Amino acid sequence: MRSIQHWIGGVPVGGSTSAAVHDPATGRRSGEVVLGRRAEADLAVGTAARAFESWSEVSLSRRAQIMFALRDLLARHEDELARLVTAEHGKVLDDARGEVVRGREVVEFACGIAQVLKGEYSDQVSTGVDAFSFRQPLGVCAGIVPFNFPVMVPLWMHPIAIACGNTFVLKPSERVPSASNLVAELYAQAGLPDGVFNVLHGDRETADALITHPGVAAVSFVGSTPVARHVHEAASTAGKRVQALGGAKNHAVVLPDADLDLAADQITAAAYGSAGQRCMAVSVAVAVGSAADPLVERLADRARAIRVGPGTDPASEMGPLISEAALERVTGHVEDAERAGAKLVVDGRGAPGPGFFLGPCLLDGVATGMAAYQEEIFGPVLLVLRAETLDEAIALINANPYGNGTALFTSSGEAARRFQRAVHVGMIGVNVPIPVPMAFYSFGGWKSSLFGDTHVHGAEGVRFYTRAKAVTSRWPAPAVADGTSSSPPSSMAFPTAR
């Protein structure tokens, strides 16, 4: 049985405790992962701190070269990474490959680090005085990431942190540990010095050890809203810079003038892809006016046609949930909503297979007071709410505590512009159901979907992993033989530009 160890200082490191890793498609135990405790956290952070002393002085050109090499290695190992993701997460292979590609795009952004780290310079801000600014790395940065994107979400963080001159300790989810170790090996092949990138496996105890560790300068987190709030509070109290991305309840609004077939196709893929285990999954369709009945009919037809099965089967379009506990929780939400008065149009319970399978579920007539609407389900469940007008749909979205992503399906430019300006959401799609920004933009939501002021990757990611210095300098001419100097006379008054 496979044993997945920490990767600290360029070598595998064992531990005293471990947890089982399962294949969600079969429910069988496929390996075990060591769990880090305070001693292992101290080792990882200490190793990263020592590596920072030299890595922070490495030239921008050399850092970029390593990122270019990593980018090529990720492309060559795309299938291997995808297979590891499918084996431990359960998502179908094509979906896993897409995750690797989107993560690699952030590495491509990091390849241009010399350009994005250029400072500013102002000549002669005062007589004989110049001013300039530049950004420096923070030190040891930590990333704590969820199970649903074992490759992509960590790649939102560590390539930019490392390219900026920081060192990094990554704590993956203990459910999906293997891909992170392979990425660590690829970093080593790319020429990254030992200790710059480290993988510390573990559970919540391990995460708390990193969050409160005095040697960690910044913490990046992606996960549920309650945990994101805890991470933000604990890390901020410990004096760290922190970005903590939480949960979501993403709405897709469909107007009567939309192409309903297009909307149904796109919403189906966004709701049920990866078994709904995406923070950007569409979990609520808001049907406006006369669009409601024909949209529900189309969504039901498409949901029933989805082929559910193991992620390794080329015929499968949707794999299992991550665990038995997740299956029970999601199924419970479906049953609660039906008891509360929602209509179960498509019932995915009883999906075949020994693993943690739940087929697509479609609930119509959902009310905002139902638990299925108020909570993040994180499974293959699409809720349909009905609104009479676009303004009513916008008000519904804005009343929701989450603000991660939303989408509008329409043929009206006026409606689209009004929607994108009025909704209190961080990422918006117009006829695009999953509006995940490209790597050169930044990812993050509003309200209870983000704790902290900075989004991940893109320009905001660079700002998060660096801090600015402003320098004001004067270089007077040397005193001449008679003792006179070109320096202005000193004054006790507050300095002003002259």
Side-chain angles (χ1 to χ4, degrees):
M1 185 172 291
R2 295 182 309 117
S3 177
I4 301 98
Q5 297 182 309
H6 310 297
W7 182 277
I8 300 174
V11 296
V13 175
S16 57
T17 59
S18 63
V21 179
H22 293 88
D23 176 359
T26 63
R28 291 195 293 266
R29 179 170 177 161
S30 60
E32 62 179 19
V33 57
V34 298
L35 301 178
R37 295 297 179 247
R38 176 62 67 173
E40 289 80 13
D42 287 343
L43 176 62
V45 174
T47 300
R50 289 187 294 274
F52 176 75
E53 295 176 9
S54 56
W55 177 247
S56 59
E57 298 297 325
V58 169
S59 71
L60 287 171
S61 297
R62 179 59 184 150
R63 292 184 220 159
Q65 289 168 4
I66 290 173
M67 288 298 148
F68 274 111
L70 177 64
R71 187 265 175 211
D72 291 342
L73 287 164
L74 288 169
R76 291 207 296 271
H77 290 266
E78 180 180 304
D79 285 344
E80 185 179 359
L81 283 163
R83 286 194 296 271
L84 288 174
V85 171
T86 295
E88 294 177 351
H89 175 281
K91 66 178 66 175
V92 298
L93 278 169
D94 281 347
D95 194 19
R97 291 189 190 96
E99 169 184 346
V100 178
V101 171
R102 291 304 302 267
R104 193 170 70 232
E105 291 170 357
V106 180
V107 181
E108 293 169 353
F109 174 80
C111 289
I113 195 63
Q115 176 68 24
V116 298
L117 275 184
K118 287 169 64 176
E120 298 176 321
Y121 187 94
S122 296
D123 174 72
Q124 199 74 351
V125 296
S126 187
T127 303
V129 177
D130 305 323
F132 63 95
S133 66
F134 61 98
R135 305 192 71 86
Q136 288 185 305
L138 306 175
V140 179
C141 300
I144 301 167
V145 296
F147 74 85
N148 58 329
F149 287 101
V151 176
M152 185 183 74
V153 169
L155 285 172
W156 286 355
M157 302 172 183
H158 55 73
I160 295 178
I162 289 170
C164 287
N166 301 282
T167 54
F168 205 88
V169 179
L170 173 67
K171 195 212 83 67
S173 166
E174 67 274 22
R175 298 173 180 176
V176 288
S178 297
S180 294
N181 279 36
L182 178 53
V183 171
E185 294 179 31
L186 298 183
Y187 261 127
Q189 294 177 36
L192 190 71
D194 292 345
V196 176
F197 178 70
N198 307 274
V199 180
L200 179 69
H201 294 292
D203 51 17
R204 178 165 181 168
E205 181 180 341
T206 319
D208 283 338
L210 284 178
I211 292 165
T212 59
H213 199 289
V216 173
V219 176
S220 300
F221 172 85
V222 176
S224 69
T225 286
V227 181
R229 184 180 287 110
H230 162 74
V231 169
H232 182 258
E233 291 175 354
S236 298
T237 300
K240 306 181 189 311
R241 185 173 291 190
V242 57
Q243 53 183 186
L245 280 68
K249 201 70 177 180
N250 305 316
H251 300 69
V253 177
V254 182
L255 297 185
D257 64 5
D259 180 332
L260 293 184
D261 288 315
L262 170 68
D265 287 341
Q266 297 291 308
I267 292 172
T268 297
Y272 302 121
S274 196
Q277 298 172 122
R278 295 171 176 160
C279 66
M280 289 294 283
V282 169
S283 55
V284 181
V286 183
V288 177
S290 61
D293 288 340
L295 177 66
V296 170
E297 181 180 347
R298 287 166 169 80
L299 290 171
D301 289 343
R302 286 155 175 78
R304 294 187 185 102
I306 292 174
R307 297 187 296 273
V308 179
T312 53
D313 185 345
S316 297
E317 295 176 298
M318 192 183 90
L321 290 165
I322 186 67
S323 66
E324 185 175 10
L327 176 61
E328 292 174 355
R329 178 180 53 78
V330 175
T331 301
H333 274 298
V334 173
E335 293 168 351
D336 287 346
E338 190 175 21
R339 283 194 294 268
K343 179 182 179 182
L344 186 56
V345 181
V346 179
D347 186 353
R349 292 171 297 180
F356 312 127
F357 289 96
L358 175 67
C361 298
L362 178 65
L363 287 155
D364 190 12
V366 175
T368 57
M370 295 180 183
Y373 178 76
Q374 294 178 342
E375 300 177 23
E376 185 179 30
I377 296 178
F378 223 62
V381 181
L382 177 61
L383 314 178
V384 178
L385 277 71
R386 300 181 180 224
E388 290 301 317
T389 64
L390 175 59
D391 289 338
E392 183 182 333
I394 291 171
L396 187 151
I397 294 170
N398 290 346
N400 192 275
Y402 297 106
N404 211 41
T406 190
L408 175 70
F409 288 87
T410 183
S411 60
S412 167
E414 183 278 330
R417 188 173 188 276
R418 178 153 50 101
F419 179 81
Q420 66 197 29
R421 289 175 59 81
V423 290
H424 301 165
V425 175
M427 293 169 285
I428 299 162
V430 176
N431 297 316
V432 174
I434 304 180
V436 177
M438 297 297 290
F440 36 86
Y441 284 85
S442 299
F443 180 104
W446 288 13
K447 298 187 288 187
S448 292
S449 294
L450 175 71
F451 299 87
D453 298 324
T454 310
H455 294 175
V456 296
H457 68 64
E460 290 193 49
V462 172
R463 289 194 291 272
F464 179 77
Y465 289 120
T466 58
R467 52 189 163 196
K469 279 185 176 177
V471 179
T472 305
S473 64
R474 174 189 288 125
W475 295 100
V480 294
D482 63 2
T484 61
S485 171
S486 62
S487 299
S490 59
S491 170
M492 297 294 290
F494 192 82
T496 58
R498 290 288 186 268

